[in-house]
Amino acid sequence: AVGGIPELIVDGQTGVLVKERKAEAFATAVCALIDDPQRREALGAAAGAWVRQQLPLDGMVDQYRHFYDQLLQQNVRRAH
C-alpha cells in the first residue's frame, strides 16, 4: 500500500494491500493467495474488469492520437 497503488487496488476486491515495510504481512498475504486459488481468480477477474471499465483501450488510443496530433500541429506552426 505505497504510492498511488491504493488508488488502483481496492483491498480485498481487486487485490491485496499490505502496509509498507511489513515483510511478515506480505508473506502472509502471498501464502493466503497461494492456498486459495478461488480467491486468487476472483481478485484477478475483478481487477481485470476494473481495468476494462476504467481504462478502456479505445479511450487510451484516442487520447494518444489527440496528444500526437497536438504535437504535430505545434511542429507545423514552428516550421512556418
Side-chain angles (χ1 to χ4, degrees), residues 59-71:
M60 288 192 334
V61 169
D62 288 342
Q63 288 177 354
Y64 278 114
R65 183 178 294 127
H66 179 71
F67 173 73
Y68 286 119
D69 285 344
Q70 285 181 324
L71 288 177

Side-chain angles (χ1 to χ4, degrees), residues 4-66:
I5 300 299
E7 296 172 17
L8 301 173
I9 304 295
V10 178
D11 192 30
Q13 293 179 23
T14 59
V16 177
L17 295 177
V18 178
K19 290 187 179 189
E20 181 180 11
R21 299 177 192 258
K22 299 292 181 183
E24 188 173 327
F26 178 77
T28 300
V30 170
C31 289
L33 290 172
I34 289 171
D35 292 340
D36 192 345
Q38 289 178 325
R39 182 167 182 236
R40 248 189 355 254
E41 290 176 24
L43 291 171
W50 184 90
V51 167
R52 285 187 295 280
Q53 181 182 35
Q54 300 296 319
L55 308 171
L57 182 59
D58 292 344
M60 288 192 334
V61 169
D62 288 342
Q63 288 177 354
Y64 278 114
R65 183 178 294 127
H66 179 71

